[in-house]
Structure formats: C-alpha cells, structure tokens
C-alpha cells in the first residue's frame, strides 16, 4: 500500500476548492469567483452541470426568486418562470462552460475525489484520481457539492442516510422521446394531473398497466414533460427500489434494470396514447439518477414541518424556496405519502446553519446533501433551490477567505448583504 498522504506533491493551490461541479457546484464556484476568490472545481464527469446537463433532469423546479443564480441560468437558457418546461440540455452545457470560463475558474475534469488530508480540524488537501494516478489540490476553504456528501464523509462529518428503515428514494433514468405527433398535447407533471384520453383516463391507464404487468411493478405513473421541441417529451417514470446508490455494484445492476424499464415504458406509451405510436428514445441520463443518498448533519437540521410551516430563519440564505415534499416511494410504486400525493410546502427559508457541518472547520456543504431530514430533503433537493444554496455557499467561501475566518465564525449578515445588493429578496 502506497502512503500517498505522506508524500503529497501539490502544485495546485486555490482559495476555494469546490468538490463536484453539478447544479450546486457551478452555483458555488461561479459566485465565489465573482466575489474575488481563486476557485477550482473537481468534477468526475467530462461536463459540468450535474442534474442540469449530464443528469438529464428537467424541468428546473423549486424557486424562481429574481436575481438569484437560478434566475440568471433560467433566463440564459430561456425557461420561463414557473412554466414547468424542460430546458435545452445542450444549450445549458454551453452556458455553464462559458460562465465558468468567464470567471477564470480551473476545472479538473474527469477527476474523482477519493480522499482528504486534514490537519487538526482543517482540510488541507483533496486527493483525486487522474489518468496519471492520484493527485492533490490545496485550498483554504472547501465546499462539498458532490450530492452524495463525499467530501464531508471523507472528512469525518456526521452523515445520515435514508428514512427510519434505511431505505432511500428510488433511482431512475430520465429520458427523452421524440416523434410524438404534433397534434398530441398530453403532458403529465405529477400524480394529480389527469388527462382524459379516448381509451380512458391517463393516470388510470398507467395504474392498470402497472397492475397487469405491462409496466414494471414499481412504475404506476409515466410523467411526461414538454421540452423545447413540441414533438418531444421528457419521461420521468422508471424506478428501481431498494438500491444503495453509493454501492457501485448495486448501481450497475440498477442501471441494467432501468434501461430495460425504459423499453417497457416506451411500449406502453406507443400502444396506449394516441400520437405516441412512432416514438423512439432520443437520449437519457449518464449512469443512473440518484435522488437521495447521504445527508450531512449540520448546525441546523431542516425538517419537513419547517417546510410545511414555511419557516423563516434569521440566517436565511435562500428565501422563498418552494417545492412539495416529493418522496418517490422507496418501497413501492408512485408516491410514498399516505394519500399517494406529495404534501405541499409553504415558501420557506434555507438557513446558513444547514450549510455548516459540525466537525471540520473549513468546510461548507451545498446542494441536496445539506443538513435536513429524509422528508425535508425531498423538497429542497430540486435544482433551482440547490443552485441557489450553492450560490450562498460560494459567497460564504469567498468572504471567509477575504476575512480569514472559518465558515462557522462568519457573520451571516455579510452573506445576506451580498445577496440583497444583487437585488435578491431575502425577507418579507
Ligand atoms: C430521476 C431524478 C429526477 C429529478 N427530477 C427533478 C426535476 O424534475 N426538477 C428538479 O428541479 N430536480 C429534479 N431532481 C433533483 C435534482 O436533479 C438534484 O437533486 C440536484 O441536481 C442536486 O444538485 P447537487 O448539486 O446536489 O447534485 P448534482 O447536480 O448531482 O451534482 C453533483 C456533482 O458532483 C459530481 N461528483 C459526485 N461525486 C464526485 C466525486 N467523488 N468527485 C468529483 N465529482 C463528484 C457529480 O458528477 C455531479 O456533477 C431529480 C433527480 C433525479 C435523480
């Protein structure tokens, strides 16, 4: 065994290192660089954007607060406020690449974070894999935007996983079908959105197909979103339960199952919905889509009750976050809440304390792995909320470097001031 930690040769040194260049990671990195910090991103994929791009996730949901990073991205990509329309993934790749290049951020593509080096309560280096072996990068402040809480886990933070019985939300493969007849207008955003077809109600037909085996036993709704091309639909339907997405072997088996389910779903649509007879799969997510894995426990743990009450916080950094408690059933088909429909939240605040882990001094967390319960996570995990959490973490990281303080000691009012100076509403 090579003791690589003992012989770190590190030429790369930055103010702030962002682990994971997905939805929250690009929010964190771009805003942090705009605030004057020298920033690097470590990204295991060959493209930035996570859910926004390689994850093939749409539509962007959760919060349409003007002047935020989510607002900026959605305007650039041409998605209207609250339209529920999917964005153009290729256009988003170009937009994000340009924004990151404009801020002079170094991106370490194809590099997986595999370990950390700590001195007392501070991270000094991240260790990542490259085509030439393991390398190190040095930083002052680190932001965990890996979705899976990889950096926090490696740094020894307290993490939680799943609901009380240990199950997490199912993994899925989102995909786009093309060749929908131009006269066919059906969309199906969620469990309450029924449409009367010539052969019956759409949702009832889905339920029936699940029962009679036409659809897989875990698929009793086939959600269809309109994209930028009228003859295409994004399909959110496939579902593998009982999978630990952190286990590579389980993830591989789930991928095979989900790709098989894609064909079943397409056959169902072809034979059931008029205008879908000639559809074919156009593209899909890289790998599998992970809704839920580790949650990093922080100074404040957000709860579902906070969200249902629309709780406001003195240290708000994301205001008017708005999305239902959307728990895709970890142990069956459809939704896991009792009446089969997600519970609506009231517009709520994400507090800075939910981005602050409790063990490491120079670490911030952003995106779906921030501090909250299984049920609260089911709401704030959506992309517009995650990119704005990233933006707040990026501001915090840059301020910490400027003022030479650790995130826990940073005056949260300074983060709020940067946001409100940009025209972001934080209080009402
Ligand atoms: C099937 C599915 C459907 C969804 N539907 C919607 C929807 O309709 N609307 C919506 O708004 N949201 C939806 N979501 C939720 C949303 O996509 C995610 O919760 C959101 O992208 C989380 O943002 P993030 O930054 O935490 O993670 P991500 O966007 O996943 O980014 C994490 C990044 O970290 C990188 N990474 C991970 N580990 C490492 C490592 N060890 N080293 C280096 N890089 C690493 C990844 O490659 C990725 O780029 C859906 C999610 C799934 C899976």
């Amino acid at each position: 065994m090579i003791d690589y930690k003992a012989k770190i040769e590190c030429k790369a040194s930055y103010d702030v290192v962002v682990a994971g260049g997905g939805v929250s990671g690009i929010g964190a990195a771009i805003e942090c660089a705009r605030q004057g910090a020298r920033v690097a991103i470590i990204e295991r994929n060959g493209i930035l954007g996570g859910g926004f791009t390689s994850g093939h996730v749409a539509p962007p949901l959760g919060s349409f607060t003007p002047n935020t990073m989510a607002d900026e991205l959605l305007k650039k990509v041409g998605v209207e406020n609250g339209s529920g329309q999917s964005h153009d993934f290729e256009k988003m790749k170009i937009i994000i690449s340009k924004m990151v290049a404009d801020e002079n951020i170094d991106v370490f593509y194809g590099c997986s974070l595999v370990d950390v080096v700590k001195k007392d309560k501070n991270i000094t280096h991240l260790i990542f894999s490259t085509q030439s072996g393991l390398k190190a990068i040095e930083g002052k402040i680190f932001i965990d935007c890996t979705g899976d809480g990889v950096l926090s886990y490696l740094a020894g933070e307290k993490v939680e996983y799943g609901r009380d019985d240990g199950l997490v939300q199912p993994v899925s493969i989102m995909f786009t079908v093309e060749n929908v007849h131009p006269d066919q207008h059906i969309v199906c955003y969620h469990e309450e959105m029924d449409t009367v077809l010539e052969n019956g109600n759409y949702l009832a037909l889905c339920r029936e197909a699940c029962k009679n085996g036409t659809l897989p036993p875990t698929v009793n709704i086939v959600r269809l979103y309109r994209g930028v091309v009228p003859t295409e639909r994004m399909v959110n339907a496939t579902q593998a339960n009982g999978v630990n997405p952190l286990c590579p072997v389980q993830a591989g088996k789930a991928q095979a199952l989900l790709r098989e389910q894609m064909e079943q779903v397409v056959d169902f649509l072809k034979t059931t919905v008029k205008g879908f007879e000639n559809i074919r799969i156009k593209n899909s997510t890289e790998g599998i889509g992970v809704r839920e894995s580790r949650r990093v426990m922080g100074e404040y743990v957000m709860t579902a009750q906070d969200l249902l009450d629309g709780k406001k916080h003195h240290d708000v950094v994301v205001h008017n976050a708005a999305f239902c408690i959307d728990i895709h059933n970890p142990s069956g088909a459809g939704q896991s809440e009792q009446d089969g429909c997600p519970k609506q939240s009231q517009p709520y605040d994400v507090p800075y304390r939910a981005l602050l882990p409790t063990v490491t001094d120079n670490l911030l967390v952003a995106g779906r792995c921030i501090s909250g319960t299984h049920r609260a996570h089911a709401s704030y995990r959506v992309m517009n909320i995650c990119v704005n959490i990233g933006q707040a973490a990026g501001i915090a990281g840059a301020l910490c470097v400027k003022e030479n303080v650790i995130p826990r000691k940073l005056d949260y009012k300074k983060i709020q001031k940067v946001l409100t100076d940009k025209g972001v509403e934080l209080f009402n």
Side-chain angles (χ1 to χ4, degrees), residues 177-186 226 229-233 273-280:
V177 293
E178 62 184 359
N179 288 345
V180 176
H181 194 282
D183 293 343
Q184 172 52 271
H185 298 293
I186 185 173
R226 193 176 294 285
V229 180
T231 52
E232 291 179 2
R233 292 291 184 281
V273 185
K274 197 172 165 213
F276 278 65
E277 295 83 359
N278 298 317
I279 58 168
R280 66 177 284 279

Side-chain angles (χ1 to χ4, degrees), residues 19-25 42-45 47-52 54-55 57-62 111-114 145-148 150 170-174 225 236 238 288-292 323 326 328 366-369 377 380-384 386-387:
V23 170
S24 59
I42 305 286
E43 171 52 52
R44 68 178 169 186
N45 286 338
I47 185 74
L48 294 172
F52 275 141
S54 53
V57 177
L61 298 167
C111 295
S112 276
L113 167 69
V114 294
C145 296
T146 57
D148 291 329
V150 181
V171 292
S172 297
I173 289 181
M174 304 272 275
Y225 303 94
N236 182 349
T238 64
I288 55 170
V290 177
R291 290 190 177 83
E292 182 185 8
F323 194 60
D326 186 26
H328 294 243
R368 70 172 160 86
C369 55
H377 161 280
Y380 60 69
R381 70 188 174 90
V382 289
M383 295 188 290
N384 294 344
C386 282
V387 71

Side-chain angles (χ1 to χ4, degrees), residues 227-253:
V228 278
V229 180
T231 52
E232 291 179 2
R233 292 291 184 281
M234 279 276 309
V235 185
N236 182 349
T238 64
Q239 171 164 337
N241 289 355
V243 177
N244 177 350
L246 301 170
C247 167
V249 176
Q250 288 190 35
K253 291 200 168 125

